[in-house]
């Protein structure tokens, strides 16, 4: 979660070791793509996640340091899911737009929104704009932007639409529908479970 007092760049602190994380918005989107891939094995996904977040880090431990990466992936998932609003009493919360945005399918609309409202060219911000900064700016996009209008179409139930407009709304829902409304938070939880299983297997074999 973005704060106004801390560095937006993510670091993992583990047993006295501080390791830089590539937490740019495009890295996190590539992480979502990795989790959703049907062509990769569970082990490939774990190795891919480690490479995405730590491939350029000079301070990252060797890949055989299972305990570190198990801890690190949990911290990264927690940071990605962290959102300041809508928390329940036990602190749990759903990500606000996770079921209504496809960062690939909606890339053009997201790009246009950032350029329209902030004059930010996201293609020039790859590797620089951090995920928590991107997410805060995304949440702040005006209802006048195309991506926010698309989200409203996906979210709003037909029962809330005037009968005279329902046919047009249904057409819009079909046009902007997502093939897969999978929850990214659930995907990350699943990946963490995969990581835990692999960790147990490695420890057993070792």
């Amino acid at each position: 979660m973005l704060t106004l007092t801390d560095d937006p760049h993510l670091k993992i602190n583990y047993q006295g070791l501080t390791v830089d994380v590539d937490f740019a918005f495009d890295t996190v989107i590539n992480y979502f793509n990795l989790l959703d891939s049907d062509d990769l094995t569970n082990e490939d996904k774990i190795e891919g996640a480690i490479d995405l977040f730590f491939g350029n880090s000079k301070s990252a431990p060797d890949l055989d340091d299972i305990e570190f990466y198990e801890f690190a992936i949990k911290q990264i998932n927690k940071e990605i899911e962290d959102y300041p609003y809508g928390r329940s009493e036990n602190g749990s919360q759903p990500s606000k737009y996770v079921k209504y945005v496809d960062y690939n399918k909606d890339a053009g609309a997201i790009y246009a929104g950032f350029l329209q409202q902030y004059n930010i060219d996201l293609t020039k911000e790859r590797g620089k704009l951090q995920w928590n900064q991107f997410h805060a700016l995304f949440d702040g996009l005006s209802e006048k932007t195309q991506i926010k209008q698309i989200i409203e179409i996906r979210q709003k139930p037909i029962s809330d639409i005037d009968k005279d407009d329902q046919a047009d709304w249904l057409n819009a829902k079909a046009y902007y529908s997502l093939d897969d409304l999978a929850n990214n938070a659930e995907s990350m939880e699943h990946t963490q479970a995969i990581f835990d299983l692999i960790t147990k297997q490695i420890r057993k074999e070792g």
Side-chain angles (χ1 to χ4, degrees):
M1 182 176 67
L2 183 70
T3 76
L4 299 180
T5 55
D6 296 330
D7 188 339
H9 294 78
L10 183 62
K11 297 179 184 295
I12 300 295
N13 297 303
Y14 179 76
Q15 296 185 352
L17 179 68
T18 300
V19 181
D20 294 325
V21 179
D22 182 349
F23 203 51
F25 78 96
D26 50 308
T27 299
V28 176
I29 292 173
N30 282 328
Y31 178 48
F32 292 153
N33 294 339
L34 184 73
L35 300 185
D36 290 338
S37 175
D38 294 326
D39 299 326
L40 299 174
T41 66
N42 293 338
E43 289 83 357
D44 288 339
K45 290 183 179 184
I46 295 300
E47 291 178 4
I50 291 172
D51 185 59
L52 277 172
F53 292 116
F54 300 101
N56 296 321
S57 177
K58 296 179 180 179
S59 57
D62 293 334
L63 286 176
D64 59 1
D65 191 340
I66 300 300
E67 286 79 9
F68 168 79
Y69 287 108
E70 182 181 19
F71 174 83
I73 293 297
K74 285 181 179 178
Q75 293 303 306
I76 290 169
N77 286 346
K78 181 180 178 181
E79 187 67 25
I80 291 172
E81 293 176 296
D82 198 12
Y83 194 74
Y85 306 115
R87 293 180 184 273
S88 64
E89 290 183 2
N90 64 5
S92 64
Q93 62 190 35
S95 184
K96 190 175 182 182
Y97 296 122
V98 81
K99 287 187 177 180
Y100 300 100
V101 175
D102 183 318
Y103 290 106
N104 296 307
K105 192 170 186 176
D106 296 327
I110 295 170
Y111 174 87
F114 272 67
L115 197 62
Q116 172 186 335
Q117 183 160 325
Y118 305 121
N119 198 29
I120 292 176
D121 184 337
L122 285 175
T123 63
K124 296 180 180 179
E125 295 297 324
R126 293 172 186 154
K128 295 185 290 186
L129 185 69
Q130 300 298 287
W131 169 256
N132 41 23
Q133 296 171 313
F134 168 85
H135 201 270
L137 291 170
F138 184 87
D139 279 353
L141 286 172
S142 165
E143 300 302 325
K144 295 180 180 180
T145 60
Q146 183 188 16
I147 186 60
K148 282 302 185 72
Q149 292 169 4
I150 290 172
I151 290 170
E152 182 184 14
I153 289 170
R154 290 172 180 161
Q155 284 181 323
K156 202 166 190 177
I158 292 297
S159 58
D160 290 349
I161 307 300
D162 291 338
K163 289 186 177 180
D164 293 340
D165 297 325
Q166 285 184 357
D168 289 339
W169 201 264
L170 281 170
N171 288 334
K173 274 186 173 293
Y175 184 78
Y176 290 114
S177 66
L178 297 178
D179 296 329
D180 183 6
L181 294 179
N183 189 313
N184 284 329
E186 291 177 0
S187 295
M188 286 187 288
E189 183 178 345
H190 176 62
T191 297
Q192 186 61 56
I194 294 170
F195 199 101
D196 291 343
L197 287 173
I198 294 172
T199 300
K200 291 178 182 178
Q201 185 64 33
I202 290 174
R203 287 172 178 162
K204 185 185 296 183
E205 293 173 355

